Amino acid sequence: MRHVRFRDPAGAVRQGEYHDDHVAFGGREYALDEVDVLPPCDPTKIVCVGLNYERHAEEEGMDLPERPLLFLKPPNAVAGHGDTVTLPSGKETVEHEVELGIVIGEQCRNVSEADAMDVVAGYTCADDISNRDDQRVEQNWIRGKAFDGACPIGPVVADPEHVPEDAAVKLRVNGETRQDSSISEFIFSVPELIAEITRYMTLEEGDVIITGTPAGVGPLADGDHVEVEVEGVGTLEHDVTSV
């Protein structure tokens, strides 16, 4: 099943089922153009993983990490399916990053690798939009990674069994494929990431872990239309604009 949060024609926020041409809730069906698809969860934080694909580390000219490279995006970074993200002004290079998102299903701490999937509600699509101008000159990446709308997620949360272990991850800008890889190329697996992160912090229901991006990151410009696809989840679409 693919779970969706949406605002119905009356303005009520609902949790329903997502189908290719409609959403369903409470015995009713709504065409997609009748509703507003919302971010699929309301995270207190987004835990991000850097350099989790070897080829991406190579294109960035960086060594492979010995343990997961972690950083945070705050709730203000969340954007949803169909949203338009305003890029930071005055920056030369702001780039896209397709990522598999893990949505946490319950409050958890010190989760073992063996039990990690027990705390996973499902998977979603994410775009880790990155302001490289500032990321490359600061240590905490607040300007580079945490600006408003810097993490579109959605459109749904897919049950884990619907997402293959070698699920394809792709990103297109204006119809051109920029990134095309598979989560089978992860350096650190989903259970390894959950175990490592929960050694240090409590994850809350609805929190999201985004698992790193493959090679092919590239620039975004005013008016671009972005499609972020994860096999078994679907396609997250958003636009970008400059001010």
Side-chain angles (χ1 to χ4, degrees):
M1 183 183 297
R2 293 182 294 171
H3 309 271
V4 63
R5 289 177 67 236
F6 67 96
R7 184 174 288 108
D8 71 14
V13 174
R14 305 296 192 187
Q15 297 263 7
E17 298 178 14
Y18 187 94
H19 302 272
D20 290 338
D21 59 356
H22 70 277
V23 297
F25 168 79
R28 296 191 60 183
E29 295 183 354
Y30 302 92
L32 292 179
D33 60 5
E34 291 184 281
V35 303
D36 295 321
V37 176
L38 304 173
C41 55
D42 189 18
T44 69
K45 55 190 168 294
I46 302 164
V47 186
C48 312
V49 180
L51 302 181
N52 203 24
Y53 288 79
E54 183 174 353
R55 288 180 55 214
H56 177 55
E58 290 173 355
E59 75 177 351
E60 294 295 316
M62 301 183 72
D63 294 332
L64 297 181
E66 295 183 0
R67 63 177 184 172
L69 172 63
L70 304 177
F71 59 96
L72 294 172
K73 284 179 180 267
N76 65 283
V78 173
H81 180 69
D83 285 354
T84 297
V85 176
T86 300
L87 303 179
S89 62
K91 306 303 176 183
E92 291 187 2
T93 307
V94 181
E95 295 186 324
H96 57 73
E97 296 189 6
V98 58
E99 307 205 13
L100 173 75
I102 307 164
V103 180
I104 299 300
E106 61 185 68
Q107 186 182 73
C108 57
R109 179 80 154 86
N110 287 320
V111 180
S112 68
E113 289 184 31
D115 295 331
M117 294 308 297
D118 292 342
V119 304
V120 175
Y123 295 122
T124 193
C125 305
D127 187 3
D128 177 13
I129 303 177
S130 302
N131 158 22
R132 303 299 190 199
D133 291 26
D134 288 309
Q135 181 187 355
R136 288 168 177 156
V137 296
E138 66 181 3
Q139 291 185 332
N140 57 22
W141 294 359
I142 296 297
R143 299 173 185 85
K145 293 281 193 174
F147 55 90
D148 288 352
C151 193
I153 57 175
V156 302
V157 177
D159 291 341
E161 59 265 27
H162 296 308
V163 179
E165 293 184 359
D166 61 349
V169 291
K170 300 179 182 182
L171 185 140
R172 295 176 292 275
V173 177
N174 304 324
E176 174 194 358
T177 298
R178 296 272 190 89
Q179 295 181 271
D180 188 353
S181 188
S182 166
I183 64 173
S184 64
E185 297 184 15
F186 280 171
I187 296 171
F188 301 104
S189 69
V190 169
E192 288 175 312
L193 294 175
I194 292 172
E196 176 70 10
I197 291 164
T198 60
R199 285 181 61 199
Y200 296 93
M201 69 178 72
T202 300
L203 295 178
E204 304 290 346
E205 180 180 357
D207 282 352
V208 177
I209 300 169
I210 59 174
T211 52
T213 196
V217 299
L220 294 170
D222 183 46
D224 280 347
H225 179 71
V226 181
E227 298 170 86
V228 180
E229 181 180 350
V230 175
E231 183 181 358
V233 178
T235 303
L236 164 70
E237 299 186 39
H238 71 84
D239 296 321
V240 297
T241 188
S242 298
V243 294

